[in-house]
Structure formats: C-alpha cells, structure tokens
Amino acid sequence: MIGVFDSGYGGLTVLKELIKELPDYDYLYLGDNARAPYGNRSHETLKKFTEQGINYLFGQGCVLIITACNTVSSQVLREIQEEYLLVPNVKDRKILGVIKPIVEETVKITKNNRVGVVGTRSTINSKSYEVELHHLNPDIKVYSQACPLLVPLVEEDWIKKPETRMILKKYLRPIKSANVDTLILGCTHYPLLLKEFRQIMGKRITVPNPGKIVAHSLVDYLKRHPEIETLLTKGKKRTYTTTDDPTRFAAAASKFLGQKIEEVFKADISS
Ligand code: DGL
C-alpha cells in the first residue's frame, strides 16, 4: 500500500495524479485536518505531527509514504527520513517528499535560469526549493513569494472570485517582473488555481502541475526500486482517513480529488 500524508485536503491534488499515473496500487490517504493548516507551524510541532502521521501510515501497512505537503517536505522530511533509517521494523520502508522531484523537473524546464517559487510562509522561509535548485544548478536565480492568503481562499472555495484573482496578481507581480520562465507551485492547494496562475503569468512562463511531476517521478522511482515495488499491493483500493470529522472531509475533499469520496474513516494518530 502507498500512503499519502498531508496536513489536510491539499495532498489529494497529488493523490489524484498518482492514481491517474499508477492506478493499480492500493492507496491510504491521511489528512491531519484536526491540526491543519501546517503552513505557519514551528519546526518542532511539524516534526511531531509528521512523525505521528508516518507512524500511523506504517502501522496500517504502508510500504512507501509520500509526504504530499510542501511544508512538511521542506521543513522536517530529511530529518525524519534519517531517523526512520534507524527504526528496525520500518528501516526498509520509504518516505518520499515532493520537493526533489519538482526541483529536478524545473531544472530541466528552465531555459533562462530564472525560476519563481510560491508557497506557504513556512515553505518559503525554509528556502528548501532554493537550496535544492542551487544544488543542481548554482546559476539558477530564484525569486520566491510567500502567499499565505491562498490556502484559506481555496478552502473557502473562493477560486473564481475577483478578489482572489486580485490577490494572486499582487503576489505574482514581483515574480513576473523578475522575468522568470518557470514558476514552481510549492503548495498542495495551488493546483486548484492552476488556470489562474497560468493566465496571470502568461504563455511564455511554464507553470507545471506539481502533482503530475510527483506522479511521474514515482513511476520512475518504482522502476528503479523493484525491491519496494514488489511489496506494494495492487488491488486498486483507495482508503481515506482524517483526524477530524469524516463527513466534513468527504464533502470538501472531492474538489481536491476531482471525484466523489463515498467513505472516510477517522484516524487517531496521536498515540
Ligand atoms: N499542505 C500545505 C503545503 O503544501 C498547505 C496547507 C497547510 O498550510 O497546511 O504546504
């Protein structure tokens, strides 16, 4: 089983693309809605929440976990990956994030080595995208912008409102005038505004769907790691869990997944 972990609904934009690309596998989704959003949390808190989520998913039988949340991937993932290598019964299981695949793809896309990054305050402050981009290509100039208003606007379904477009334009103005040719959407919620991002940035700027990149990279990863692939069950089973109210999750989640979710289970991850 493949586990997908996120602070709430946003990781479903990644799961949506994983299911499209790799439909045969069983997936277990965990949204920590009771404690979302993660975007402004401290490092210590994020680490504790993520460890609890990961323990839950491994405990349910996941062999591979994707931390779909950019905030988690950028702040605590590396530390957690290292720690779990020392845990006897899960050391052969894998935890993957979203930053690396997105960065690897961006380096291939950019022609003028000028890249924009948007994300939560915490992801932008961590400079993870910048560090990883420079690791692969030190000549890349990175223009970052925290967009803290976008997650609540997406969750409130204000996607089509003129106010959201105005806010988006304001956030994107400095990045656009920096003449970037590629924009990284460094937050799980932003693919719901993909059309708006693309319209505002204009035709000459590539704005890839991050979920698609993560899915393509997982296809490649599984080809390179048959020892993991053979452990994954293939029954096309999808299980959705949340730490908050399952009924509310089911109602709101379909917008992120692009299809109706019939059944959601409550997960107790704090123990
Ligand atoms: N999932 C988070 C991310 O990708 C956005 C929502 C939150 O702040 O919890 O950074």
Side-chain angles (χ1 to χ4, degrees):
M1 192 156 54
I2 299 175
V4 179
F5 175 63
D6 184 54
S7 56
Y9 304 114
L12 293 166
T13 62
V14 176
L15 179 62
K16 177 180 173 183
E17 303 303 330
L18 291 174
I19 290 174
K20 266 193 216 161
E21 212 49 60
L22 296 159
D24 294 339
Y25 298 106
D26 295 333
Y27 291 92
L28 171 58
Y29 184 85
L30 170 63
D32 190 9
N33 296 74
R35 304 185 292 196
Y38 278 10
N40 295 316
R41 296 277 191 190
S42 71
H43 180 271
E44 198 190 351
T45 305
L46 272 175
K47 192 161 169 237
K48 187 175 110 198
F49 290 176
T50 306
E51 280 168 353
Q52 289 174 339
I54 282 172
N55 288 341
Y56 174 80
L57 290 168
F58 278 148
Q60 297 294 311
C62 292
V63 170
L64 178 97
I65 297 171
I66 312 267
T67 58
C69 181
N70 284 263
T71 307
V72 166
S73 298
S74 62
Q75 292 261 5
V76 293
L77 181 67
R78 184 159 299 165
E79 244 177 273
I80 286 182
Q81 280 169 327
E82 281 166 14
E83 278 173 19
Y84 277 79
L85 282 177
L86 307 172
V87 181
N89 53 340
V90 294
K91 69 178 174 29
D92 299 326
R93 303 190 182 176
K94 291 285 173 259
I95 311 167
L96 305 175
V98 293
I99 313 269
K100 269 215 160 129
I102 295 171
V103 163
E104 281 166 8
E105 186 62 20
T106 305
V107 169
K108 285 186 215 153
I109 296 172
T110 182
K111 301 269 182 298
N112 72 357
N113 284 346
R114 300 172 82 85
V115 171
V117 183
V118 284
T120 62
R121 205 170 262 137
S122 159
T123 297
I124 296 304
N125 287 347
S126 76
K127 295 196 186 304
S128 284
Y129 276 106
E130 207 167 323
V131 169
E132 295 290 340
L133 283 162
H134 285 156
H135 190 63
L136 295 185
N137 181 351
D139 294 333
I140 287 182
K141 290 214 158 28
V142 183
Y143 300 87
S144 303
Q145 176 67 51
C147 308
L149 293 173
L150 297 186
V151 166
L153 287 168
V154 168
E155 296 217 342
E156 288 300 320
D157 215 355
W158 275 44
I159 290 166
K160 298 285 169 222
K161 301 245 185 197
E163 291 86 348
T164 301
R165 204 181 167 84
M166 262 168 53
I167 291 169
L168 202 50
K169 271 190 169 165
K170 191 154 185 164
Y171 278 144
L172 293 177
R173 197 167 299 140
I175 293 189
K176 215 178 156 183
S177 44
N179 197 24
V180 302
D181 70 353
T182 315
L183 176 66
I184 293 177
L185 301 187
C187 174
T188 50
H189 284 56
Y190 300 176
L192 276 100
L193 290 164
L194 187 61
K195 213 166 95 193
E196 288 72 13
F197 269 108
R198 284 182 175 158
Q199 277 170 358
I200 295 170
M201 293 307 282
K203 283 207 175 73
R204 280 199 298 256
I205 298 165
T206 309
V207 187
N209 180 344
K212 274 197 197 311
I213 298 178
V214 173
H216 288 150
S217 132
L218 187 61
V219 172
D220 183 55
Y221 178 89
L222 294 177
K223 277 189 199 140
R224 287 184 290 110
H225 293 274
E227 76 285 2
I228 298 287
E229 202 280 336
T230 47
L231 298 176
L232 298 173
T233 49
K234 287 185 182 164
K236 299 193 176 182
K237 207 170 152 209
R238 285 78 172 103
T239 310
Y240 302 93
T241 62
T242 175
T243 53
D244 205 4
D245 178 13
T247 314
R248 225 172 112 200
F249 183 93
S254 52
K255 174 175 78 191
F256 291 85
L257 189 67
Q259 67 183 70
K260 216 169 154 8
I261 298 176
E262 301 295 343
E263 198 174 19
V264 181
F265 300 95
K266 173 118 189 215
D268 179 9
I269 68 170
S270 57
S271 54

